[in-house]
mmCIF file with all atom_site columns, all heavy atoms in Angstrom:
data_model
loop_
_atom_site.group_PDB
_atom_site.id
_atom_site.type_symbol
_atom_site.label_atom_id
_atom_site.label_alt_id
_atom_site.label_comp_id
_atom_site.label_asym_id
_atom_site.label_entity_id
_atom_site.label_seq_id
_atom_site.pdbx_PDB_ins_code
_atom_site.Cartn_x
_atom_site.Cartn_y
_atom_site.Cartn_z
_atom_site.occupancy
_atom_site.B_iso_or_equiv
_atom_site.pdbx_formal_charge
_atom_site.auth_seq_id
_atom_site.auth_comp_id
_atom_site.auth_asym_id
_atom_site.auth_atom_id
_atom_site.pdbx_PDB_model_num
ATOM 1  N N   . GLU X 1 528 ? -29.521 9.394  -61.115 1.00 91.00 ? 533 GLU X N   1
ATOM 2  C CA  . GLU X 1 528 ? -30.005 8.053  -61.457 1.00 91.00 ? 533 GLU X CA  1
ATOM 3  C C   . GLU X 1 528 ? -30.056 7.168  -60.221 1.00 91.00 ? 533 GLU X C   1
ATOM 4  O O   . GLU X 1 528 ? -29.128 7.168  -59.416 1.00 91.00 ? 533 GLU X O   1
ATOM 5  C CB  . GLU X 1 528 ? -29.096 7.408  -62.509 1.00 91.00 ? 533 GLU X CB  1
ATOM 6  C CG  . GLU X 1 528 ? -29.455 7.720  -63.949 1.00 91.00 ? 533 GLU X CG  1
ATOM 7  C CD  . GLU X 1 528 ? -30.742 7.037  -64.403 1.00 91.00 ? 533 GLU X CD  1
ATOM 8  O OE1 . GLU X 1 528 ? -31.295 6.229  -63.631 1.00 91.00 ? 533 GLU X OE1 1
ATOM 9  O OE2 . GLU X 1 528 ? -31.186 7.336  -65.532 1.00 91.00 ? 533 GLU X OE2 1
ATOM 10 N N   . GLN X 1 529 ? -31.138 6.434  -60.100 1.00 88.00 ? 534 GLN X N   1
ATOM 11 C CA  . GLN X 1 529 ? -31.305 5.472  -59.000 1.00 88.00 ? 534 GLN X CA  1
ATOM 12 C C   . GLN X 1 529 ? -31.145 6.123  -57.632 1.00 88.00 ? 534 GLN X C   1
ATOM 13 O O   . GLN X 1 529 ? -30.744 5.478  -56.664 1.00 88.00 ? 534 GLN X O   1
ATOM 14 C CB  . GLN X 1 529 ? -30.299 4.320  -59.147 1.00 88.00 ? 534 GLN X CB  1
ATOM 15 C CG  . GLN X 1 529 ? -30.370 3.591  -60.473 1.00 88.00 ? 534 GLN X CG  1
ATOM 16 C CD  . GLN X 1 529 ? -31.701 2.916  -60.701 1.00 88.00 ? 534 GLN X CD  1
ATOM 17 O OE1 . GLN X 1 529 ? -32.197 2.202  -59.821 1.00 88.00 ? 534 GLN X OE1 1
ATOM 18 N NE2 . GLN X 1 529 ? -32.305 3.132  -61.870 1.00 88.00 ? 534 GLN X NE2 1
ATOM 19 N N   . SER X 1 530 ? -31.440 7.409  -57.578 1.00 84.00 ? 535 SER X N   1
ATOM 20 C CA  . SER X 1 530 ? -31.393 8.190  -56.332 1.00 84.00 ? 535 SER X CA  1
ATOM 21 C C   . SER X 1 530 ? -30.000 8.272  -55.715 1.00 84.00 ? 535 SER X C   1
ATOM 22 O O   . SER X 1 530 ? -29.853 8.655  -54.553 1.00 84.00 ? 535 SER X O   1
ATOM 23 C CB  . SER X 1 530 ? -32.359 7.602  -55.284 1.00 84.00 ? 535 SER X CB  1
ATOM 24 O OG  . SER X 1 530 ? -33.662 7.559  -55.796 1.00 84.00 ? 535 SER X OG  1
ATOM 25 N N   . ILE X 1 531 ? -28.958 7.913  -56.503 1.00 88.00 ? 536 ILE X N   1
ATOM 26 C CA  . ILE X 1 531 ? -27.613 7.920  -55.910 1.00 88.00 ? 536 ILE X CA  1
ATOM 27 C C   . ILE X 1 531 ? -26.532 8.336  -56.894 1.00 88.00 ? 536 ILE X C   1
ATOM 28 O O   . ILE X 1 531 ? -25.511 8.916  -56.488 1.00 88.00 ? 536 ILE X O   1
ATOM 29 C CB  . ILE X 1 531 ? -27.288 6.525  -55.312 1.00 88.00 ? 536 ILE X CB  1
ATOM 30 C CG1 . ILE X 1 531 ? -26.046 6.612  -54.418 1.00 88.00 ? 536 ILE X CG1 1
ATOM 31 C CG2 . ILE X 1 531 ? -27.115 5.467  -56.403 1.00 88.00 ? 536 ILE X CG2 1
ATOM 32 C CD1 . ILE X 1 531 ? -25.795 5.371  -53.594 1.00 88.00 ? 536 ILE X CD1 1
ATOM 33 N N   . TYR X 1 532 ? -26.681 8.076  -58.176 1.00 92.00 ? 537 TYR X N   1
ATOM 34 C CA  . TYR X 1 532 ? -25.632 8.349  -59.146 1.00 92.00 ? 537 TYR X CA  1
ATOM 35 C C   . TYR X 1 532 ? -25.862 9.707  -59.802 1.00 92.00 ? 537 TYR X C   1
ATOM 36 O O   . TYR X 1 532 ? -26.751 9.860  -60.654 1.00 92.00 ? 537 TYR X O   1
ATOM 37 C CB  . TYR X 1 532 ? -25.591 7.257  -60.215 1.00 92.00 ? 537 TYR X CB  1
ATOM 38 C CG  . TYR X 1 532 ? -25.296 5.874  -59.666 1.00 92.00 ? 537 TYR X CG  1
ATOM 39 C CD1 . TYR X 1 532 ? -26.036 4.760  -60.074 1.00 92.00 ? 537 TYR X CD1 1
ATOM 40 C CD2 . TYR X 1 532 ? -24.273 5.680  -58.736 1.00 92.00 ? 537 TYR X CD2 1
ATOM 41 C CE1 . TYR X 1 532 ? -25.764 3.496  -59.582 1.00 92.00 ? 537 TYR X CE1 1
ATOM 42 C CE2 . TYR X 1 532 ? -24.001 4.425  -58.232 1.00 92.00 ? 537 TYR X CE2 1
ATOM 43 C CZ  . TYR X 1 532 ? -24.754 3.338  -58.651 1.00 92.00 ? 537 TYR X CZ  1
ATOM 44 O OH  . TYR X 1 532 ? -24.482 2.090  -58.141 1.00 92.00 ? 537 TYR X OH  1
ATOM 45 N N   . PHE X 1 533 ? -25.035 10.689 -59.419 1.00 92.00 ? 538 PHE X N   1
ATOM 46 C CA  . PHE X 1 533 ? -25.186 12.047 -59.942 1.00 92.00 ? 538 PHE X CA  1
ATOM 47 C C   . PHE X 1 533 ? -24.435 12.189 -61.265 1.00 92.00 ? 538 PHE X C   1
ATOM 48 O O   . PHE X 1 533 ? -23.282 11.764 -61.390 1.00 92.00 ? 538 PHE X O   1
ATOM 49 C CB  . PHE X 1 533 ? -24.653 13.066 -58.935 1.00 92.00 ? 538 PHE X CB  1
ATOM 50 C CG  . PHE X 1 533 ? -24.780 14.501 -59.392 1.00 92.00 ? 538 PHE X CG  1
ATOM 51 C CD1 . PHE X 1 533 ? -25.977 15.194 -59.254 1.00 92.00 ? 538 PHE X CD1 1
ATOM 52 C CD2 . PHE X 1 533 ? -23.704 15.151 -59.991 1.00 92.00 ? 538 PHE X CD2 1
ATOM 53 C CE1 . PHE X 1 533 ? -26.096 16.503 -59.681 1.00 92.00 ? 538 PHE X CE1 1
ATOM 54 C CE2 . PHE X 1 533 ? -23.808 16.457 -60.418 1.00 92.00 ? 538 PHE X CE2 1
ATOM 55 C CZ  . PHE X 1 533 ? -25.014 17.136 -60.266 1.00 92.00 ? 538 PHE X CZ  1
ATOM 56 N N   . ILE X 1 534 ? -25.101 12.826 -62.256 1.00 93.00 ? 539 ILE X N   1
ATOM 57 C CA  . ILE X 1 534 ? -24.503 13.071 -63.570 1.00 93.00 ? 539 ILE X CA  1
ATOM 58 C C   . ILE X 1 534 ? -24.593 14.564 -63.847 1.00 93.00 ? 539 ILE X C   1
ATOM 59 O O   . ILE X 1 534 ? -25.680 15.153 -63.774 1.00 93.00 ? 539 ILE X O   1
ATOM 60 C CB  . ILE X 1 534 ? -25.243 12.294 -64.685 1.00 93.00 ? 539 ILE X CB  1
ATOM 61 C CG1 . ILE X 1 534 ? -25.307 10.799 -64.340 1.00 93.00 ? 539 ILE X CG1 1
ATOM 62 C CG2 . ILE X 1 534 ? -24.559 12.499 -66.035 1.00 93.00 ? 539 ILE X CG2 1
ATOM 63 C CD1 . ILE X 1 534 ? -26.187 9.989  -65.283 1.00 93.00 ? 539 ILE X CD1 1
ATOM 64 N N   . ASP X 1 535 ? -23.452 15.196 -64.134 1.00 92.00 ? 540 ASP X N   1
ATOM 65 C CA  . ASP X 1 535 ? -23.452 16.642 -64.396 1.00 92.00 ? 540 ASP X CA  1
ATOM 66 C C   . ASP X 1 535 ? -24.330 16.987 -65.587 1.00 92.00 ? 540 ASP X C   1
ATOM 67 O O   . ASP X 1 535 ? -25.127 17.930 -65.517 1.00 92.00 ? 540 ASP X O   1
ATOM 68 C CB  . ASP X 1 535 ? -22.019 17.125 -64.634 1.00 92.00 ? 540 ASP X CB  1
ATOM 69 C CG  . ASP X 1 535 ? -21.216 17.177 -63.350 1.00 92.00 ? 540 ASP X CG  1
ATOM 70 O OD1 . ASP X 1 535 ? -20.678 16.140 -62.931 1.00 92.00 ? 540 ASP X OD1 1
ATOM 71 O OD2 . ASP X 1 535 ? -21.153 18.258 -62.737 1.00 92.00 ? 540 ASP X OD2 1
#
Side-chain angles (χ1 to χ4, degrees):
E533 273 289 354
Q534 304 298 311
S535 303
I536 193 170
Y537 299 135
F538 180 82
I539 306 172
D540 286 83

